[in-house]
């Protein structure tokens, strides 16, 4: 997966994803530091990348944003992995537990161009959203 890491993601998650062979881009290195979320979403969409962030509320809103009432998604090629009510340590542990399932879902949804990958990881659940 090509991954854009938001500034709120700890290095332990970055290193874990790198160890799995994913193409990691840190938002603070490819954009101006403290770039606004819509710019990160646009960049990820342009790169057809997965945003990894703890900022669930704002990025879920961006993932769902459409151009007009019946238009296409604003960031149609942005994929998302986000965390719900997890500390950084809990999020890393859950990501380690779920990574094979997430990678499989990425292959099925994204590489086969079925739909976007939108994953919400919680302390006791994982949710794959169906946003095409």
């Amino acid at each position: 997966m090509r991954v854009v890491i938001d500034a709120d993601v700890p290095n332990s998650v970055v290193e874990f994803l790198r160890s799995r062979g994913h193409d990691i881009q840190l938002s603070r290195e490819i954009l101006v530091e403290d770039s606004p979320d819509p710019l990160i979403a646009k960049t990820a969409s342009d790169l057809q990348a997965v945003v990894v962030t703890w900022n669930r509320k704002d990025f879920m809103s961006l993932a769902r944003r459409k151009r007009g009432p019946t238009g296409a998604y604003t960031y149609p090629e942005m994929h998302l992995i986000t965390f719900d009510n997890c500390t950084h340590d809990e999020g890393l542990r859950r990501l380690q537990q779920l990574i094979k399932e997430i990678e499989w879902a990425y292959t099925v949804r994204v590489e086969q161009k079925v739909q976007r990958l939108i994953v919400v990881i919680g302390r006791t659940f994982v949710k794959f959203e169906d946003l095409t």
Side-chain angles (χ1 to χ4, degrees):
M1 294 185 292
R2 177 173 286 147
V3 181
V4 173
I5 302 290
D6 195 12
D8 63 355
V9 176
N11 287 334
S12 58
V13 170
V14 173
E15 293 310 313
F16 172 69
L17 291 170
R18 276 197 179 124
S19 77
R20 301 282 304 174
H22 298 295
D23 176 9
I24 304 298
Q25 305 289 318
L26 303 176
S27 63
R28 66 181 177 264
E29 291 179 356
I30 61 173
L31 299 168
V32 175
E33 196 162 337
D34 296 325
S35 290
D37 296 339
L39 180 57
I40 294 169
K42 180 182 182 331
T43 301
S45 186
D46 292 347
L47 294 171
Q48 299 178 348
V50 178
V51 173
V52 176
T53 184
W54 254 256
N55 185 355
R56 181 184 57 81
K57 180 183 170 197
D58 291 340
F59 276 91
M60 287 299 292
S61 176
L62 290 167
R64 293 180 176 127
R65 184 178 294 172
K66 291 191 174 190
R67 295 182 189 119
T70 60
Y73 286 106
T74 304
Y75 309 107
E77 299 294 330
M78 179 191 80
H79 311 282
L80 182 62
I81 298 173
T82 189
F83 299 85
D84 184 14
N85 201 27
C86 290
T87 66
H88 287 162
D89 288 340
E90 290 169 332
L92 173 61
R93 182 181 54 77
R94 294 289 289 145
L95 184 61
Q96 290 167 332
Q97 293 170 339
L98 297 165
I99 192 64
K100 289 181 182 177
E101 187 175 353
I102 292 168
E103 290 168 342
W104 176 82
Y106 179 87
T107 299
V108 169
R109 291 170 177 235
V110 177
E111 291 179 2
Q112 296 178 10
K113 304 211 183 281
V114 175
Q115 60 192 143
R116 295 186 293 160
L117 178 72
I118 308 291
V119 181
V120 180
I121 298 172
R123 289 179 176 161
T124 60
F125 71 91
V126 61
K127 180 179 177 185
F128 292 84
E129 294 235 351
D130 294 327
L131 297 176
T132 55

